Amino acid sequence: MMKTIILLTGIVSQQFALTELLKAHNPALSFRCAVTAEELAAIEPDVLREARLLAFTTSVIVPEHILAALGYGAYNFHPGPPQYPGWAPAHFALYDGARTFGATAHVMARRVDSGPIVGVESFIIPDKISVRGLEQIAYVRLAHLFWRMSHDLACDPSPLAELDIAWCGIKSTRQMYREMCELPAGVSAGELARRIRAFHDDFRGIPLTYSLHGIRFQLATTATETEAPQVISPPLAAAS
């Protein structure tokens, strides 16, 4: 019998709304919430055996032994479409000039963003949108996907139906993101514009930088708007 939902979220403030939504469908459920890998590891094996894990916008990689110990499976809500598995999907989608984006729910497996897909939301990317704006739309669609699937997640102990949709594209990593943020010597105006639009928001503390004669420069970050900045002659500041 499924007794517990384990919520693994990116931030604590997400937990209340998700818990209340699931509880409305199944008041008998108990909940354990975690944000860090340490908090997840502290959950007792007896709880895991009668639990289902739901991960929502988390960067925590759930260990294989925890996935195996869960009695009712684990599902991850990824803020990107099946075409963009991995790290910072919105950034790479904008860089590629993608026309559509979305959100994906999938079975959690040993390898990140590789398990069978059980839910998808998609939308057309608005013209001139910034990476922050794209992430905001994706987050809303991800929340809607969670809401749409919440009844089955809370009430049906059997595995969710898998969709005939496969992951595709290159799985992005933190290292790939860092490499994109290192502007090459002699970068063209067009390539500079693409990189500024996609990567100029200091994501996870990784700024756009440029090296010249052994001195590393960092682009000043003011990316709080939802529309992509116009690129004319971006200011450079020396990086420490």
Side-chain angles (χ1 to χ4, degrees), residues 19 41 48 57 71 96 101 127-128 136 193 233:
T19 298
L48 295 175
T57 69
D96 290 343
F101 200 63
D127 293 336
K128 298 183 180 180
Q136 289 171 11
S233 180

Side-chain angles (χ1 to χ4, degrees), residues 13 16 37 44 83 88 91 106 163 167:
S13 60
F16 177 78
E44 302 83 355
Q83 295 82 2
H91 297 73
H106 65 95
L163 302 180
W167 293 100

Side-chain angles (χ1 to χ4, degrees), residues 170-188:
I170 298 173
K171 186 180 298 182
S172 55
T173 64
R174 180 189 290 263
Q175 181 57 36
M176 289 170 60
Y177 188 94
R178 286 187 179 278
E179 290 171 359
M180 294 303 297
C181 287
E182 292 285 342
L183 297 172
V187 60
S188 68

Side-chain angles (χ1 to χ4, degrees), residues 78 80-85 100-107 113-122 145 148-149 160-169:
H78 169 71
Q83 295 82 2
Y84 285 93
T100 61
F101 200 63
T104 307
H106 65 95
V107 177
D113 295 346
S114 66
I117 293 171
V118 295
V120 169
E121 286 273 325
S122 61
L145 181 60
R148 184 159 59 83
M149 299 175 62
L160 273 62
E162 298 174 7
L163 302 180
D164 189 21
I165 299 174
W167 293 100
C168 57

